Amino acid sequence: MRLLLIEDDPDLSCSLKIDLQHAGYAVDTAADGEHGEFLGMTENYDIVVLDLGLPKLSGLEVLKLWRQTNNNVPVIVLTARDAWHEKVDGFKAGADDYLGKPFHIQELLARIQALLKRIQGQIRPVFSVHGVTLNEEQQSVLIDGQQQIALTAVEFKLLRCLMLHSGKVLSKSQLSEHIYDFYNDPDSNVIEVYINRLRRILGKDMITTRRGQGYVFGKNP
Ligand code: CA
């Protein structure tokens, strides 16, 4: 899971980044609204933690800009404690959840997990591409309506990412950003290993290698 943290307090940002990494997230940080807004529009994040009081561009402005352009990345806003109007403004601007400062990291982690679960549940718990059906709840796959096959966590994340971007070339580094779990610097050879495991499950022509570019999900026409 790839997370963007937009927070201008350097101490808080640094300690949150470490805690979030320990919890298994790949974390990018931005220290002002402009940079954060840019990252959120150009990179693919699974979730964003957004402080509202930011230099250059406020958190609310960042959120409004994203939502205006149909960027629906899940966002948790960090508000000042007891500032109820900030919470209201945040929700109006399109926030999915909020957390008042100061907070315990455990609460932030719980809210991130709950939000991701809620969002993933809303989006298709089961979806099919090219005869391959992925069941998100069971983390299993069904091929041409045949036998249900259980996937490991990494296989599931990798296949989900490929299927969501079916027909597009995904580089090894893009894929490792999304399946990142415990490694700070995921080895791109690991992706190759998992791609081969998926090919054994799905059939070897379901994932095409584009030499020097990456992988594409879907059979060649
Ligand atoms: Ca701030």
Side-chain angles (χ1 to χ4, degrees):
M1 286 286 167
R2 204 170 169 214
L3 182 149
L4 173 62
L5 170 64
I6 310 177
E7 167 61 62
D8 60 319
D9 177 334
D11 294 338
L12 181 60
S13 176
C14 185
S15 74
L16 284 179
K17 182 176 180 173
I18 292 167
D19 287 333
L20 289 163
Q21 283 176 332
H22 281 154
Y25 296 95
V27 182
D28 287 349
T29 55
D32 66 67
E34 255 176 35
H35 185 214
E37 196 272 337
F38 174 78
L39 284 178
M41 283 309 285
T42 48
E43 301 288 323
N44 253 328
Y45 294 102
D46 298 290
I47 194 159
V48 177
V49 176
L50 174 66
D51 185 31
L52 289 186
L54 291 170
K56 294 191 183 173
L57 200 61
S58 78
L60 278 182
E61 292 302 320
V62 171
L63 195 50
K64 282 179 191 164
L65 284 169
W66 286 346
R67 297 312 190 222
Q68 274 165 15
T69 50
N70 289 323
N71 178 345
N72 291 319
V73 63
V75 173
I76 297 180
V77 293
L78 302 179
T79 65
R81 198 159 75 125
D82 299 332
W84 63 268
H85 56 92
E86 283 196 0
K87 293 169 197 165
V88 174
D89 291 345
F91 280 124
K92 278 187 181 165
D96 299 280
D97 200 358
Y98 71 90
L99 190 56
K101 286 180 176 180
F103 53 83
H104 287 284
I105 181 66
Q106 282 81 0
E107 185 174 4
L108 178 61
L109 292 174
R111 284 183 180 271
I112 289 171
Q113 279 158 12
L115 179 54
L116 287 172
K117 209 170 167 187
R118 204 162 82 218
I119 300 278
Q120 282 172 356
Q122 275 169 11
I123 313 171
R124 31 200 178 177
V126 175
F127 72 105
S128 296
V129 186
H130 297 297
V132 176
T133 304
L134 194 66
N135 186 317
E136 302 223 9
E137 263 173 21
Q138 298 174 0
Q139 304 211 340
S140 65
V141 71
L142 191 69
I143 299 141
D144 291 327
Q146 300 295 310
Q147 192 193 348
Q148 195 92 14
I149 301 163
L151 300 170
T152 66
V154 176
E155 286 165 359
F156 169 75
K157 286 183 198 170
L158 186 59
L159 181 58
R160 183 174 184 276
C161 188
L162 284 162
M163 287 175 70
L164 285 172
H165 302 93
S166 167
K168 291 183 194 159
V169 181
L170 294 172
S171 69
K172 279 185 191 171
S173 63
Q174 282 172 319
L175 288 168
S176 59
E177 277 163 6
H178 282 271
I179 67 156
Y180 170 99
D181 249 320
F182 304 108
Y183 309 99
N184 269 322
D185 185 19
D187 181 353
S188 60
N189 292 325
V190 172
I191 298 292
E192 233 167 84
V193 172
Y194 280 103
I195 290 282
N196 287 331
R197 281 165 65 159
L198 285 178
R199 280 180 173 143
R200 253 173 264 145
I201 296 169
L202 306 171
K204 67 177 185 338
D205 51 352
M206 192 52 93
I207 301 167
T208 310
T209 303
R210 293 279 185 85
R211 206 156 286 282
Q213 293 175 295
Y215 301 97
V216 185
F217 183 83
K219 284 181 178 161
N220 272 330

